[in-house]
């Protein structure tokens, strides 16, 4: 499931594991779609513990 949220200029998204084990992804409403795609993939990879390439600067999880 994905939700949108307003955030500061450095907020590029977030994720959380719900009580039922599902993942919630929070997408910043005003950020570019390509940026969200990159961040969502990185968060999903981290949650599933799949090896992922490093994010480009200045992004981080």
């Amino acid at each position: 499931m994905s939700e949108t949220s307003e955030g500061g200029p450095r907020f590029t998204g977030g994720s959380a594991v719900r009580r039922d084990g599902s993942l919630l992804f929070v997408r910043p409403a005003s950020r570019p779609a390509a940026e969200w795609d990159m961040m969502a993939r990185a968060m999903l990879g981290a949650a599933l513990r799949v090896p992922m390439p490093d994010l480009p600067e200045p992004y981080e999880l």
Side-chain angles (χ1 to χ4, degrees):
M1 176 174 204
S2 180
E3 297 286 333
T4 59
S5 175
E6 291 298 326
R10 295 184 52 123
F11 179 69
T12 56
S15 63
V17 179
R18 294 180 169 180
R19 290 181 186 169
D20 67 0
S22 65
L23 295 171
L24 170 69
F25 293 94
V26 180
R27 180 180 69 86
S30 60
R31 303 302 289 232
E35 181 184 74
W36 170 243
D37 184 65
M38 174 184 66
M39 294 306 295
R41 289 171 187 259
M43 289 186 286
L44 181 59
L48 297 175
R49 297 185 178 158
V50 174
M52 300 288 289
D54 292 335
L55 290 168
E57 292 288 332
Y59 300 101
E60 61 183 59
L61 293 180

